[in-house]
Amino acid sequence: MKKSYNVCLKDTVKTFTKRLFYALFDEEQEVTHAEYLEKTFLKTLSKLSIEDGAGTWKRFKENLPDIRRQLDLDAKAFENNDPASYNLEEIYLAYPGFHAISIYRLSHALYKLNVPILPRMMSEYIHGITGIDIHPGATIEESFYIDHGTGIVIGESSIIGKNVKIYQGVTLGGIQVSKSLASTKRHPTIEDNVCIYANATILGGDIVIGANSIIGANVWITQSVPENSLVTYQTEIKIRPKKNGIR
């Protein structure tokens, strides 16, 4: 007999995550959705056979003020770094990178409370909307800035310091894929004040990108980088007149 899985929970978690995000930033939404959020959380954990749902919800709610504080710092980093931003309100309402970071910080709090599955479902919901894939197990300090964001991948054991900027297409990944490495640090450490430009790939759990470094676009890194470094990928681009007949 085939085993059944509660795949319909995807829809439940989608709505739960949306309303949790709304409630975090809007006091009216917080009041409106308070009962729904608690009931849905308890029901979801029950469906996932997770015990002590009430205690977990209480501990999770205690984390919300600090999550909001961190996200306000993230939003300020967006405003300070993006010349296209009109004002701070635009960051909260219209920036996919900020939306992805918000759901990451919420799911990370649940991950730290040892809640299985639900944090991944939340992160996959926002991944589908923004194209930004941040594993809830990653450790990301405050004032984190994502520009554009599409195609970013941040692996489970990544560690990212304060005031880090990451552009679209960046991968912080593992250098090899093996189930035996599940409990080891497989993803890189990015120290404070690092900027990583588009489509850079940084692989390996023992890799450290030193503080205040700039990682240029399209580089492939499998070794540590000292502090205050500039890493670039160089290729020759030739511009010459077209020959007749070439379109």
Side-chain angles (χ1 to χ4, degrees), residues 158-219:
S158 299
I159 298 175
I160 298 176
K162 297 178 181 178
N163 302 306
V164 169
K165 297 182 285 187
I166 293 183
Y167 288 74
Q168 68 272 17
V170 167
T171 296
L172 304 182
I175 200 165
Q176 57 180 308
V177 179
S178 173
K179 194 66 176 179
S180 64
L181 299 174
S183 60
T184 64
K185 188 178 186 305
R186 309 181 305 282
H187 307 98
T189 295
I190 312 299
E191 294 186 342
D192 295 350
N193 306 309
V194 168
C195 179
I196 307 175
Y197 283 104
N199 299 313
T201 299
I202 305 172
L203 304 178
D206 58 347
I207 301 305
V208 177
I209 305 300
N212 309 306
S213 292
I214 296 175
I215 307 301
N218 300 311
V219 300

Short mmCIF file of all heavy atoms in Angstrom, two decimals, residues 158-219:
data_model
loop_
_atom_site.label_atom_id
_atom_site.label_comp_id
_atom_site.label_asym_id
_atom_site.label_seq_id
_atom_site.Cartn_x
_atom_site.Cartn_y
_atom_site.Cartn_z
N SER A 158 26.12 27.88 5.45
CA SER A 158 26.76 29.17 5.16
C SER A 158 26.72 30.07 6.39
O SER A 158 25.74 30.06 7.16
CB SER A 158 26.05 29.89 4.01
OG SER A 158 26.09 29.13 2.83
N ILE A 159 27.76 30.86 6.57
CA ILE A 159 27.82 31.87 7.63
C ILE A 159 28.14 33.20 6.97
O ILE A 159 29.15 33.33 6.26
CB ILE A 159 28.88 31.53 8.70
CG1 ILE A 159 28.54 30.20 9.39
CG2 ILE A 159 29.00 32.66 9.72
CD1 ILE A 159 29.60 29.73 10.37
N ILE A 160 27.27 34.18 7.19
CA ILE A 160 27.42 35.50 6.56
C ILE A 160 27.46 36.55 7.65
O ILE A 160 26.57 36.62 8.50
CB ILE A 160 26.26 35.77 5.59
CG1 ILE A 160 26.26 34.74 4.45
CG2 ILE A 160 26.35 37.18 5.02
CD1 ILE A 160 25.10 34.86 3.49
N GLY A 161 28.50 37.39 7.63
CA GLY A 161 28.68 38.41 8.65
C GLY A 161 27.82 39.64 8.43
O GLY A 161 26.87 39.64 7.63
N LYS A 162 28.16 40.71 9.11
CA LYS A 162 27.38 41.95 9.06
C LYS A 162 27.73 42.77 7.82
O LYS A 162 28.85 42.73 7.33
CB LYS A 162 27.65 42.79 10.32
CG LYS A 162 27.21 42.13 11.61
CD LYS A 162 27.55 42.99 12.81
CE LYS A 162 27.13 42.32 14.11
NZ LYS A 162 27.48 43.13 15.30
N ASN A 163 26.73 43.52 7.36
CA ASN A 163 26.93 44.49 6.26
C ASN A 163 27.45 43.84 4.98
O ASN A 163 28.29 44.40 4.27
CB ASN A 163 27.88 45.61 6.70
CG ASN A 163 27.39 46.33 7.93
OD1 ASN A 163 26.27 46.83 7.95
ND2 ASN A 163 28.21 46.37 8.97
N VAL A 164 26.94 42.66 4.67
CA VAL A 164 27.34 41.95 3.46
C VAL A 164 26.35 42.27 2.34
O VAL A 164 25.14 42.34 2.56
CB VAL A 164 27.41 40.44 3.71
CG1 VAL A 164 27.56 39.66 2.40
CG2 VAL A 164 28.57 40.12 4.65
N LYS A 165 26.88 42.45 1.13
CA LYS A 165 26.06 42.72 -0.05
C LYS A 165 26.25 41.60 -1.07
O LYS A 165 27.39 41.22 -1.38
CB LYS A 165 26.46 44.06 -0.69
CG LYS A 165 26.22 45.26 0.22
CD LYS A 165 26.58 46.57 -0.47
CE LYS A 165 28.07 46.76 -0.54
NZ LYS A 165 28.44 48.11 -1.07
N ILE A 166 25.14 41.08 -1.58
CA ILE A 166 25.19 39.99 -2.56
C ILE A 166 24.29 40.34 -3.74
O ILE A 166 23.15 40.80 -3.55
CB ILE A 166 24.74 38.66 -1.92
CG1 ILE A 166 25.78 38.21 -0.87
CG2 ILE A 166 24.57 37.57 -2.98
CD1 ILE A 166 25.46 36.88 -0.24
N TYR A 167 24.79 40.09 -4.94
CA TYR A 167 24.04 40.40 -6.16
C TYR A 167 23.51 39.12 -6.81
O TYR A 167 23.81 38.01 -6.38
CB TYR A 167 24.93 41.18 -7.14
CG TYR A 167 25.18 42.60 -6.67
CD1 TYR A 167 26.04 42.87 -5.61
CD2 TYR A 167 24.53 43.67 -7.27
CE1 TYR A 167 26.25 44.17 -5.17
CE2 TYR A 167 24.74 44.97 -6.84
CZ TYR A 167 25.60 45.22 -5.78
OH TYR A 167 25.79 46.50 -5.34
N GLN A 168 22.70 39.29 -7.85
CA GLN A 168 21.98 38.18 -8.46
C GLN A 168 22.92 37.08 -8.95
O GLN A 168 24.03 37.32 -9.37
CB GLN A 168 21.12 38.67 -9.63
CG GLN A 168 21.90 39.18 -10.83
CD GLN A 168 22.25 40.65 -10.74
OE1 GLN A 168 22.21 41.26 -9.69
NE2 GLN A 168 22.59 41.22 -11.90
N GLY A 169 22.44 35.83 -8.85
CA GLY A 169 23.17 34.70 -9.39
C GLY A 169 24.30 34.17 -8.54
O GLY A 169 24.99 33.22 -8.94
N VAL A 170 24.51 34.72 -7.36
CA VAL A 170 25.60 34.27 -6.49
C VAL A 170 25.25 32.92 -5.86
O VAL A 170 24.12 32.70 -5.43
CB VAL A 170 25.90 35.30 -5.39
CG1 VAL A 170 26.79 34.71 -4.29
CG2 VAL A 170 26.55 36.54 -5.99
N THR A 171 26.22 32.02 -5.81
CA THR A 171 26.05 30.73 -5.15
C THR A 171 27.06 30.59 -4.02
O THR A 171 28.27 30.74 -4.23
CB THR A 171 26.26 29.56 -6.14
OG1 THR A 171 25.24 29.60 -7.13
CG2 THR A 171 26.19 28.22 -5.41
N LEU A 172 26.56 30.33 -2.82
CA LEU A 172 27.40 29.93 -1.68
C LEU A 172 27.09 28.46 -1.45
O LEU A 172 26.09 28.10 -0.80
CB LEU A 172 27.07 30.77 -0.44
CG LEU A 172 27.17 32.29 -0.59
CD1 LEU A 172 26.87 32.98 0.73
CD2 LEU A 172 28.53 32.71 -1.13
N GLY A 173 27.90 27.59 -2.04
CA GLY A 173 27.54 26.17 -2.09
C GLY A 173 28.61 25.25 -1.55
O GLY A 173 29.65 25.67 -1.04
N GLY A 174 28.33 23.95 -1.67
CA GLY A 174 29.26 22.92 -1.27
C GLY A 174 30.10 22.47 -2.45
O GLY A 174 29.62 22.47 -3.60
N ILE A 175 31.31 22.06 -2.18
CA ILE A 175 32.21 21.67 -3.27
C ILE A 175 31.95 20.23 -3.71
O ILE A 175 32.34 19.82 -4.79
CB ILE A 175 33.68 21.87 -2.86
CG1 ILE A 175 34.57 21.95 -4.11
CG2 ILE A 175 34.14 20.79 -1.90
CD1 ILE A 175 35.95 22.49 -3.84
N GLN A 176 31.29 19.45 -2.86
CA GLN A 176 30.89 18.11 -3.25
C GLN A 176 29.58 17.77 -2.56
O GLN A 176 29.23 18.34 -1.54
CB GLN A 176 31.97 17.08 -2.89
CG GLN A 176 32.36 17.05 -1.42
CD GLN A 176 33.43 16.01 -1.15
OE1 GLN A 176 33.27 14.85 -1.52
NE2 GLN A 176 34.51 16.42 -0.50
N VAL A 177 28.85 16.85 -3.16
CA VAL A 177 27.54 16.46 -2.64
C VAL A 177 27.61 15.01 -2.19
O VAL A 177 27.80 14.11 -3.00
CB VAL A 177 26.44 16.64 -3.70
CG1 VAL A 177 25.10 16.21 -3.14
CG2 VAL A 177 26.38 18.09 -4.18
N SER A 178 27.49 14.80 -0.88
CA SER A 178 27.51 13.45 -0.33
C SER A 178 26.68 13.43 0.94
O SER A 178 26.82 14.30 1.80
CB SER A 178 28.94 13.01 -0.02
OG SER A 178 28.96 11.77 0.66
N LYS A 179 25.81 12.45 1.08
CA LYS A 179 24.95 12.35 2.26
C LYS A 179 25.77 12.22 3.53
O LYS A 179 25.35 12.67 4.60
CB LYS A 179 24.01 11.15 2.11
CG LYS A 179 22.86 11.12 3.09
CD LYS A 179 21.90 12.27 2.85
CE LYS A 179 20.69 12.17 3.77
NZ LYS A 179 19.76 13.30 3.57
N SER A 180 26.95 11.65 3.43
CA SER A 180 27.80 11.47 4.60
C SER A 180 28.29 12.79 5.18
O SER A 180 28.75 12.85 6.32
CB SER A 180 29.01 10.59 4.25
OG SER A 180 29.83 11.23 3.28
N LEU A 181 28.17 13.88 4.38
CA LEU A 181 28.62 15.20 4.84
C LEU A 181 27.50 16.02 5.46
O LEU A 181 27.68 17.19 5.76
CB LEU A 181 29.21 15.97 3.66
CG LEU A 181 30.42 15.34 2.97
CD1 LEU A 181 30.81 16.14 1.74
CD2 LEU A 181 31.60 15.23 3.94
N ALA A 182 26.35 15.41 5.68
CA ALA A 182 25.17 16.15 6.13
C ALA A 182 25.39 16.92 7.42
O ALA A 182 24.86 18.02 7.59
CB ALA A 182 23.98 15.19 6.29
N SER A 183 26.17 16.38 8.33
CA SER A 183 26.36 17.04 9.63
C SER A 183 27.62 17.90 9.69
O SER A 183 27.98 18.40 10.75
CB SER A 183 26.40 15.99 10.75
OG SER A 183 27.48 15.09 10.53
N THR A 184 28.29 18.09 8.56
CA THR A 184 29.51 18.89 8.53
C THR A 184 29.24 20.25 7.90
O THR A 184 28.22 20.46 7.26
CB THR A 184 30.61 18.19 7.72
OG1 THR A 184 30.18 18.08 6.36
CG2 THR A 184 30.88 16.79 8.27
N LYS A 185 30.16 21.19 8.10
CA LYS A 185 30.04 22.50 7.46
C LYS A 185 30.46 22.37 6.01
O LYS A 185 31.62 22.14 5.70
CB LYS A 185 30.88 23.55 8.19
CG LYS A 185 30.63 24.97 7.67
CD LYS A 185 31.44 26.00 8.42
CE LYS A 185 31.07 27.42 7.99
NZ LYS A 185 31.16 27.65 6.54
N ARG A 186 29.50 22.55 5.12
CA ARG A 186 29.73 22.31 3.69
C ARG A 186 29.80 23.59 2.87
O ARG A 186 30.14 23.55 1.70
CB ARG A 186 28.60 21.43 3.13
CG ARG A 186 28.35 20.18 3.92
CD ARG A 186 27.26 19.31 3.34
NE ARG A 186 26.00 19.99 3.16
CZ ARG A 186 25.12 20.27 4.14
NH1 ARG A 186 25.40 19.93 5.39
NH2 ARG A 186 23.98 20.87 3.87
N HIS A 187 29.43 24.70 3.47
CA HIS A 187 29.28 25.96 2.73
C HIS A 187 30.19 27.04 3.31
O HIS A 187 30.58 26.98 4.48
CB HIS A 187 27.81 26.40 2.78
CG HIS A 187 26.87 25.33 2.32
ND1 HIS A 187 26.20 24.50 3.21
CD2 HIS A 187 26.51 24.92 1.08
CE1 HIS A 187 25.46 23.64 2.53
NE2 HIS A 187 25.63 23.88 1.23
N PRO A 188 30.51 28.07 2.53
CA PRO A 188 31.54 29.03 2.94
C PRO A 188 31.11 29.99 4.05
O PRO A 188 29.93 30.13 4.37
CB PRO A 188 31.82 29.80 1.64
CG PRO A 188 30.61 29.62 0.80
CD PRO A 188 30.04 28.29 1.15
N THR A 189 32.12 30.66 4.59
CA THR A 189 31.93 31.74 5.56
C THR A 189 32.29 33.06 4.89
O THR A 189 33.37 33.18 4.30
CB THR A 189 32.82 31.52 6.80
OG1 THR A 189 32.39 30.33 7.47
CG2 THR A 189 32.74 32.70 7.76
N ILE A 190 31.38 34.02 5.00
CA ILE A 190 31.60 35.35 4.43
C ILE A 190 31.70 36.33 5.60
O ILE A 190 30.74 36.50 6.35
CB ILE A 190 30.43 35.76 3.49
CG1 ILE A 190 30.09 34.64 2.50
CG2 ILE A 190 30.76 37.06 2.80
CD1 ILE A 190 31.19 34.25 1.57
N GLU A 191 32.84 36.97 5.75
CA GLU A 191 33.04 37.86 6.89
C GLU A 191 32.41 39.24 6.65
O GLU A 191 31.85 39.50 5.59
CB GLU A 191 34.53 37.96 7.22
CG GLU A 191 35.10 36.63 7.73
CD GLU A 191 36.54 36.74 8.20
OE1 GLU A 191 37.23 37.74 7.84
OE2 GLU A 191 37.00 35.83 8.93
N ASP A 192 32.51 40.12 7.64
CA ASP A 192 31.83 41.42 7.60
C ASP A 192 32.27 42.28 6.41
O ASP A 192 33.42 42.24 5.98
CB ASP A 192 32.14 42.20 8.89
CG ASP A 192 31.58 41.54 10.13
OD1 ASP A 192 30.80 40.58 10.01
OD2 ASP A 192 31.92 42.01 11.24
N ASN A 193 31.30 43.06 5.92
CA ASN A 193 31.57 44.11 4.92
C ASN A 193 32.09 43.59 3.59
O ASN A 193 32.83 44.28 2.89
CB ASN A 193 32.56 45.15 5.49
CG ASN A 193 32.11 45.71 6.82
OD1 ASN A 193 30.97 46.17 6.96
ND2 ASN A 193 32.98 45.65 7.82
N VAL A 194 31.68 42.39 3.23
CA VAL A 194 32.07 41.81 1.94
C VAL A 194 31.00 42.13 0.91
O VAL A 194 29.81 42.11 1.20
CB VAL A 194 32.28 40.29 2.06
CG1 VAL A 194 32.41 39.64 0.69
CG2 VAL A 194 33.50 39.98 2.92
N CYS A 195 31.43 42.39 -0.32
CA CYS A 195 30.51 42.59 -1.45
C CYS A 195 30.79 41.51 -2.50
O CYS A 195 31.94 41.34 -2.92
CB CYS A 195 30.70 43.98 -2.06
SG CYS A 195 29.62 44.31 -3.48
N ILE A 196 29.74 40.78 -2.89
CA ILE A 196 29.89 39.70 -3.87
C ILE A 196 29.01 40.03 -5.07
O ILE A 196 27.79 40.08 -4.97
CB ILE A 196 29.47 38.35 -3.27
CG1 ILE A 196 30.21 38.08 -1.95
CG2 ILE A 196 29.75 37.23 -4.26
CD1 ILE A 196 29.76 36.81 -1.24
N TYR A 197 29.65 40.26 -6.22
CA TYR A 197 28.93 40.69 -7.41
C TYR A 197 28.34 39.51 -8.19
O TYR A 197 28.58 38.34 -7.89
CB TYR A 197 29.82 41.55 -8.29
CG TYR A 197 29.96 42.97 -7.76
CD1 TYR A 197 31.13 43.38 -7.10
CD2 TYR A 197 28.91 43.87 -7.87
CE1 TYR A 197 31.23 44.68 -6.59
CE2 TYR A 197 29.02 45.15 -7.37
CZ TYR A 197 30.18 45.56 -6.73
OH TYR A 197 30.28 46.82 -6.22
N ALA A 198 27.57 39.83 -9.21
CA ALA A 198 26.69 38.88 -9.90
C ALA A 198 27.40 37.63 -10.40
O ALA A 198 28.51 37.69 -10.95
CB ALA A 198 26.00 39.58 -11.07
N ASN A 199 26.73 36.49 -10.17
CA ASN A 199 27.12 35.18 -10.71
C ASN A 199 28.45 34.65 -10.18
O ASN A 199 29.01 33.72 -10.78
CB ASN A 199 27.15 35.23 -12.25
CG ASN A 199 25.79 35.57 -12.83
OD1 ASN A 199 24.78 35.00 -12.43
ND2 ASN A 199 25.76 36.53 -13.74
N ALA A 200 28.93 35.20 -9.08
CA ALA A 200 30.10 34.62 -8.43
C ALA A 200 29.69 33.30 -7.76
O ALA A 200 28.58 33.16 -7.25
CB ALA A 200 30.68 35.58 -7.40
N THR A 201 30.60 32.33 -7.78
CA THR A 201 30.37 31.02 -7.16
C THR A 201 31.47 30.77 -6.13
O THR A 201 32.65 30.79 -6.48
CB THR A 201 30.37 29.91 -8.21
OG1 THR A 201 29.31 30.14 -9.15
CG2 THR A 201 30.17 28.55 -7.57
N ILE A 202 31.07 30.54 -4.89
CA ILE A 202 32.01 30.30 -3.79
C ILE A 202 31.64 28.97 -3.15
O ILE A 202 30.54 28.81 -2.63
CB ILE A 202 31.97 31.45 -2.76
CG1 ILE A 202 32.22 32.79 -3.45
CG2 ILE A 202 33.00 31.21 -1.66
CD1 ILE A 202 32.00 34.00 -2.55
N LEU A 203 32.56 28.01 -3.20
CA LEU A 203 32.24 26.64 -2.81
C LEU A 203 33.19 26.12 -1.75
O LEU A 203 34.41 26.30 -1.84
CB LEU A 203 32.33 25.71 -4.03
CG LEU A 203 31.47 26.06 -5.26
CD1 LEU A 203 31.73 25.05 -6.37
CD2 LEU A 203 30.01 26.09 -4.90
N GLY A 204 32.62 25.44 -0.73
CA GLY A 204 33.42 24.72 0.24
C GLY A 204 33.24 25.19 1.67
O GLY A 204 33.20 26.40 1.94
N GLY A 205 33.12 24.25 2.58
CA GLY A 205 32.87 24.58 3.98
C GLY A 205 34.06 25.18 4.70
O GLY A 205 33.89 25.83 5.74
N ASP A 206 35.27 24.97 4.19
CA ASP A 206 36.46 25.54 4.84
C ASP A 206 36.88 26.85 4.20
O ASP A 206 37.92 27.42 4.53
CB ASP A 206 37.62 24.54 4.81
CG ASP A 206 38.00 24.12 3.40
OD1 ASP A 206 37.23 24.40 2.46
OD2 ASP A 206 39.07 23.50 3.24
N ILE A 207 36.08 27.36 3.29
CA ILE A 207 36.41 28.61 2.57
C ILE A 207 35.94 29.81 3.40
O ILE A 207 34.79 29.86 3.85
CB ILE A 207 35.74 28.64 1.19
CG1 ILE A 207 36.19 27.45 0.35
CG2 ILE A 207 36.05 29.95 0.48
CD1 ILE A 207 37.68 27.31 0.21
N VAL A 208 36.83 30.77 3.57
CA VAL A 208 36.51 32.01 4.28
C VAL A 208 36.84 33.19 3.36
O VAL A 208 37.96 33.29 2.85
CB VAL A 208 37.31 32.14 5.59
CG1 VAL A 208 37.03 33.48 6.26
CG2 VAL A 208 37.00 30.99 6.53
N ILE A 209 35.86 34.04 3.14
CA ILE A 209 36.09 35.28 2.41
C ILE A 209 36.32 36.37 3.44
O ILE A 209 35.42 36.72 4.21
CB ILE A 209 34.90 35.63 1.49
CG1 ILE A 209 34.58 34.46 0.55
CG2 ILE A 209 35.20 36.91 0.71
CD1 ILE A 209 35.71 34.06 -0.36
N GLY A 210 37.54 36.89 3.48
CA GLY A 210 37.94 37.81 4.53
C GLY A 210 37.18 39.13 4.50
O GLY A 210 36.70 39.58 3.45
N ALA A 211 37.10 39.75 5.64
CA ALA A 211 36.36 41.00 5.81
C ALA A 211 36.82 42.08 4.84
O ALA A 211 37.99 42.13 4.44
CB ALA A 211 36.51 41.49 7.25
N ASN A 212 35.86 42.91 4.43
CA ASN A 212 36.11 44.09 3.59
C ASN A 212 36.59 43.75 2.18
O ASN A 212 37.15 44.60 1.49
CB ASN A 212 37.14 45.02 4.26
CG ASN A 212 36.79 45.33 5.69
OD1 ASN A 212 35.68 45.79 5.98
ND2 ASN A 212 37.71 45.05 6.61
N SER A 213 36.35 42.51 1.74
CA SER A 213 36.78 42.11 0.41
C SER A 213 35.68 42.35 -0.63
O SER A 213 34.51 42.44 -0.30
CB SER A 213 37.17 40.62 0.39
OG SER A 213 38.34 40.42 1.16
N ILE A 214 36.08 42.44 -1.88
CA ILE A 214 35.16 42.54 -3.00
C ILE A 214 35.39 41.35 -3.92
O ILE A 214 36.52 41.12 -4.37
CB ILE A 214 35.36 43.86 -3.78
CG1 ILE A 214 35.03 45.06 -2.90
CG2 ILE A 214 34.50 43.86 -5.05
CD1 ILE A 214 35.31 46.40 -3.55
N ILE A 215 34.33 40.60 -4.18
CA ILE A 215 34.40 39.46 -5.08
C ILE A 215 33.70 39.88 -6.37
O ILE A 215 32.51 40.16 -6.38
CB ILE A 215 33.71 38.22 -4.47
CG1 ILE A 215 34.26 37.92 -3.07
CG2 ILE A 215 33.85 37.03 -5.40
CD1 ILE A 215 35.75 37.66 -3.04
N GLY A 216 34.44 39.92 -7.45
CA GLY A 216 33.91 40.40 -8.71
C GLY A 216 32.95 39.42 -9.36
O GLY A 216 32.84 38.26 -8.96
N ALA A 217 32.28 39.89 -10.40
CA ALA A 217 31.29 39.08 -11.11
C ALA A 217 31.95 37.88 -11.80
O ALA A 217 33.09 37.95 -12.26
CB ALA A 217 30.57 39.93 -12.14
N ASN A 218 31.20 36.75 -11.80
CA ASN A 218 31.55 35.55 -12.57
C ASN A 218 32.77 34.79 -12.07
O ASN A 218 33.21 33.86 -12.75
CB ASN A 218 31.75 35.91 -14.05
CG ASN A 218 30.52 36.51 -14.67
OD1 ASN A 218 29.42 35.97 -14.54
ND2 ASN A 218 30.68 37.65 -15.33
N VAL A 219 33.31 35.13 -10.92
CA VAL A 219 34.47 34.37 -10.42
C VAL A 219 34.02 33.03 -9.83
O VAL A 219 32.88 32.87 -9.41
CB VAL A 219 35.28 35.17 -9.37
CG1 VAL A 219 35.81 36.45 -9.96
CG2 VAL A 219 34.45 35.45 -8.13
#
